[in-house]
Amino acid sequence: AVVSTQSTGKLKTECGCQFTCKLEGMFKDMSISNSVNEKFREVTKEDAPLSIDLNVRVLTTGYWPISPCKVVSKLPKEAEIAFDRFKTFYLKDHSGRQLNLQPHLGQADINAIFYQKKEDVVTPKRHILQVSTYQMCILMLFNRQQSYTYKDIQTESNIPEKELKRALLSLAVGRIQQRVLQKSPKTKEISSTDEFTINDQFSSKLIRVKIQTAIASKSETDPERQETRQRVDDDRKHEIEAAIVRIMKARKEQEHNVLIAEVTGLLKSRFMPSPSAIKKRIESLIEREYLVRSPNDRKVYMYLA
């Protein structure tokens, strides 16, 4: 934490507070989350202990480069009760705020028992499965019945189709040493008519098994591509502004075309900013009183300390 704070301080000195404000917000979120979780655990011990171990990261919208989940998935009952308890606890001290669960970013450890059968002898094998929240939601369904169709899982979990297929690919079609589900028919694609059961023959030398999430085979859709493009543009805005502030802090005064050339030269190893994008960031910095136009020449900018 000390090293992170020192690094942020150096970045702020070099690039200005605009460049580091989100980073500082991230560190603050992590620190506050740790203390909130400790307090929550103390309260639940005194009140009524939860049936699961819960650790929540409360992230401030705007600080983190993540896309919010628009679909509310159905959590297993134990997880839902635990999150509702945390939400009530948190909002009691932070009224006016909203807590929205982001299951696509979560992880879980599940205690699993596989009943391997060999020559009429059943041997229970215990493992701890490290899975994503979506994978947890799927696996916990099999405590209620032995098999589910794809459509059944989709209805019971309400997981978005793209994420559901990724999770099922990992659990049933991924690496052999990670296939905790069996799929019928045994194809490499997931379809709406597939049926899934627990793979009781699952075996691993490791007690703790991490199930990797499969990479989606299909490319991004147009809305997703546009959203990704927007996030990249937003991140680049801050980099362009940081470069402008760094140059102007050193030069104190600079002519427009020379400043455009210097910013381009500073950033070209990472990406090539267009002159219009640089000009927009200059105007934004003027509006926020980081820069001012020279009274003698409108094409010359002056740095405001």
Side-chain angles (χ1 to χ4, degrees):
V2 175
V3 175
S4 300
T5 304
Q6 290 175 347
S7 300
T8 306
K10 288 180 181 179
L11 282 170
K12 184 186 287 187
T13 302
E14 287 292 325
C15 306
C17 61
Q18 179 66 26
F19 185 76
T20 59
C21 65
K22 287 188 177 182
L23 187 60
E24 289 177 312
M26 291 181 186
F27 285 128
K28 186 177 179 182
D29 280 350
M30 298 303 287
S31 177
I32 292 175
S33 291
N34 288 335
S35 59
V36 168
N37 277 296
E38 286 178 13
K39 189 177 178 181
F40 176 65
R41 278 191 283 269
E42 290 175 3
V43 170
T44 51
K45 280 182 182 178
E46 294 173 2
D47 185 7
L50 294 170
S51 61
I52 64 171
D53 231 357
L54 181 70
N55 189 61
V56 180
R57 295 293 183 193
V58 182
L59 310 181
T60 305
T61 304
Y63 287 157
W64 299 81
I66 54 179
S67 301
C69 183
K70 298 175 182 178
V71 179
V72 180
S73 302
K74 298 176 185 176
L75 294 176
K77 186 177 179 181
E78 300 89 341
E80 186 177 6
I81 290 172
F83 178 69
D84 286 343
R85 287 267 304 271
F86 179 86
K87 190 173 183 179
T88 302
F89 161 80
Y90 182 83
L91 295 179
K92 186 178 178 181
D93 294 331
H94 302 84
S95 59
R97 296 188 185 181
Q98 286 187 341
L99 271 188
N100 297 311
L101 189 65
Q102 303 298 317
H104 62 303
L105 301 175
Q107 295 177 322
D109 286 356
I110 300 177
N111 291 315
I113 304 175
F114 297 89
Y115 295 95
Q116 296 183 0
K117 187 175 182 180
K118 189 175 182 181
E119 297 179 357
D120 296 329
V121 177
V122 177
T123 306
K125 296 286 185 179
R126 298 176 183 271
H127 293 281
I128 297 173
L129 305 180
Q130 294 179 294
V131 295
S132 70
T133 301
Y134 286 141
Q135 290 169 340
M136 174 197 71
C137 293
I138 293 168
L139 291 175
M140 293 292 282
L141 290 174
F142 290 90
N143 284 334
R144 289 154 43 183
Q145 63 187 57
Q146 291 185 346
S147 67
Y148 284 91
T149 64
Y150 173 85
K151 284 292 186 183
D152 290 338
I153 295 174
Q154 192 174 39
T155 302
E156 291 288 340
S157 65
N158 202 38
I159 297 173
E161 184 175 8
K162 181 180 176 182
E163 295 294 343
L164 179 58
K165 286 187 175 182
R166 286 182 67 199
L168 287 170
L169 276 171
S170 305
L171 296 168
V173 189
R175 298 176 182 176
I176 294 176
Q177 60 269 34
Q178 295 179 5
R179 293 181 190 174
V180 295
L181 293 182
Q182 288 181 324
K183 184 177 85 71
S184 179
K186 294 183 178 181
T187 59
K188 292 186 177 181
E189 299 294 330
I190 302 293
S191 69
S192 59
T193 56
D194 287 348
E195 187 171 343
F196 299 87
T197 57
I198 289 292
N199 177 20
D200 274 320
Q201 299 308 308
F202 172 79
S203 179
S204 175
K205 294 179 181 179
L206 303 173
I207 297 297
R208 188 179 292 269
V209 181
K210 182 174 179 59
I211 309 296
Q212 302 289 345
T213 300
I215 298 173
S217 58
K218 294 184 179 180
S219 59
E220 289 182 309
T221 61
D222 287 339
E224 288 171 337
R225 194 177 295 111
Q226 187 176 354
E227 187 178 345
T228 302
R229 180 76 255 175
Q230 184 62 48
R231 288 204 305 271
V232 171
D233 289 343
D234 288 342
D235 289 341
R236 287 182 175 179
K237 285 178 186 177
H238 298 301
E239 291 193 54
I240 294 171
E241 288 185 358
I244 295 168
V245 170
R246 185 174 185 179
I247 292 167
M248 291 302 297
K249 194 172 184 179
R251 301 285 189 272
K252 304 301 180 187
E253 188 174 305
Q254 193 61 282
E255 193 270 334
H256 175 79
N257 289 335
V258 177
L259 179 58
I260 295 287
E262 287 198 42
V263 172
T264 303
L266 193 62
L267 297 175
K268 67 181 181 181
S269 62
R270 302 180 68 180
F271 66 94
M272 188 62 71
S274 66
S276 61
I278 299 173
K279 185 178 179 181
K280 284 181 181 178
R281 299 337 306 159
I282 292 172
E283 295 293 341
S284 177
L285 289 169
I286 290 173
E287 288 177 8
R288 304 200 312 268
E289 299 182 348
Y290 283 88
L291 306 178
V292 66
R293 295 182 188 276
S294 171
N296 302 320
D297 187 348
R298 297 284 292 172
K299 291 185 178 180
V300 175
Y301 306 110
M302 300 170 64
Y303 178 71
L304 296 177

